[in-house]
Amino acid sequence: MDLKSLAEQGSAIGDDSAAEALVTFCGTWELGAEFLADCAASLTEGLNSANNNFTETDQAIRDAVNSVKSDLS
């Protein structure tokens, strides 16, 4: 959501300093939201990778156990 362009219309409230503060706040808010979204995307990627590694390791252990079982039978 583009808050900064909406905030630039804040001069309609009649106080230029309040409008400038609103523009600054909205610009900072957008940067913070983008940063958090990027962090969340990185965490998601890491968790998906860990899940895939766990699944592969779990399957490898099952295959090894089944191999030992069949050798002992």
Side-chain angles (χ1 to χ4, degrees), residues 1 6 10 19 33 39 66 70:
M1 182 172 185
L6 293 173
C39 288
N66 288 335
S70 62

Side-chain angles (χ1 to χ4, degrees), residues 36-57:
L36 290 175
D38 290 344
C39 288
S42 295
L43 286 172
T44 299
E45 185 178 320
L47 288 172
N48 285 334
S49 177
N51 182 55
N52 290 339
N53 289 341
F54 175 80
T55 301
E56 290 171 8
T57 302

Side-chain angles (χ1 to χ4, degrees), residues 1-15:
M1 182 172 185
D2 185 15
L3 295 176
K4 192 169 183 178
S5 65
L6 293 173
E8 289 170 350
Q9 298 172 15
S11 61
I13 62 176
D15 185 349

